[in-house]
Amino acid sequence: MISLLIDHGDRYVEGFLNTLIISVFALIGSFVLGTVLAVMRIASIRILRWIGTAYVEFIRNIPLLLVVAIFYHGLAFLGLSGFVAGGIGLTIYTAAYIADAIRAGIQSIPKGQIEAARCSGLSYLQAMRFIVLPQAIKIVIPPLGNQFLNLIKNSAILGVYAGADLMYFGDQINSDTFDTFNVYLLVGLFYLLLTIPTSFAVRALERRMARSS
């Protein structure tokens, strides 16, 4: 295993950095999109509820690989690289699960708070932004953390579309060395360098939020 790291460390590091970049990009994008979808799903405007619900139900019931394939092949005229297509697909896919978690958090907030905010002169969106969402997100930090961890692990799908991620380079190194067990064991260890700190960060944030409450 040490010899693999010495001989192919540059490719492992490149894959690690690319996986980190795409995970951060998809994490931010899916959180923003998921929050918008969650608000749409409980909006008083029926068409917004339909759009939000249709999006979440459709995406949650198809494989991630298919979502990435749609962007990679279906939008080929845009010339998207496997890396970009994978990042967009990962964002679109994860946003559906984040939306469901945030929606549950919003619905756990007493409706009287929204009504009080509206009576004080805030619009619906202002009430959501300043009153409801901060409380809802605090409540759903554990499930959001799980989704962020799943996002990092799901980024391995980029390897299928030459996304230059950890799994992609792992497949290349395996083809060159045929040392399958050690190659993918190292890949797994590099993934742990991403998931374990993320897990600790989520737990620390959860404890901090609990103290602030």
Side-chain angles (χ1 to χ4, degrees):
M1 185 186 299
I2 300 299
S3 61
L4 275 174
L5 197 55
I6 294 173
D7 295 336
H8 305 281
D10 56 338
R11 288 196 281 182
Y12 275 115
V13 171
E14 183 179 353
F16 174 82
L17 293 177
N18 286 338
T19 297
L20 175 62
I21 291 170
I22 204 66
S23 295
V24 171
F25 164 79
L27 187 154
I28 296 172
S30 60
F31 179 75
V32 172
L33 179 57
T35 301
V36 172
L37 289 167
V39 174
M40 289 174 63
R41 291 195 69 185
I42 62 169
S44 57
I45 302 174
R46 183 175 299 178
I47 186 64
L48 292 180
R49 291 202 308 272
W50 286 352
I51 294 173
T53 300
Y55 177 101
V56 171
E57 293 302 322
F58 176 74
I59 295 297
R60 288 185 60 185
N61 287 284
I62 60 175
L64 172 58
L65 181 60
L66 180 58
V67 176
V68 176
I70 289 173
F71 285 95
Y72 186 71
H73 296 294
L75 301 178
F77 64 93
L78 295 177
L80 297 179
S81 66
F83 189 77
V84 174
I88 294 174
L90 196 58
T91 299
I92 296 297
Y93 184 81
T94 308
Y97 291 89
I98 290 179
D100 218 32
I102 295 178
R103 178 185 63 85
I106 292 174
Q107 291 180 328
S108 69
I109 305 299
K111 293 182 179 180
Q113 293 196 24
I114 299 180
E115 296 172 357
R118 296 298 302 275
C119 291
S120 66
L122 296 180
S123 67
Y124 176 78
L125 290 179
Q126 287 175 326
M128 278 290 170
R129 178 183 175 185
F130 297 111
I131 306 298
V132 178
L133 281 176
Q135 299 180 74
I137 291 174
K138 184 184 297 186
I139 292 171
V140 299
I141 284 177
L144 285 180
N146 290 335
Q147 292 305 324
F148 293 157
L149 289 171
N150 287 336
L151 183 153
I152 294 173
K153 292 180 287 185
N154 287 339
S155 68
I157 201 70
L158 271 67
V160 178
Y161 288 96
D165 70 320
L166 263 174
M167 190 59 68
Y168 172 73
F169 283 112
D171 291 339
Q172 281 194 337
I173 296 169
N174 183 54
S175 297
D176 294 340
T177 64
F178 298 102
D179 189 2
T180 303
F181 178 80
N182 287 317
V183 166
Y184 290 113
L185 181 59
L186 272 175
V187 169
L189 292 176
F190 273 102
Y191 272 112
L192 287 176
L193 290 178
L194 291 172
T195 55
I196 290 179
T198 301
S199 178
F200 280 122
V202 170
R203 291 177 184 174
L205 181 60
E206 184 181 355
R207 289 193 297 267
R208 181 176 179 181
M209 289 297 186
R211 287 196 299 268
S212 67
S213 297

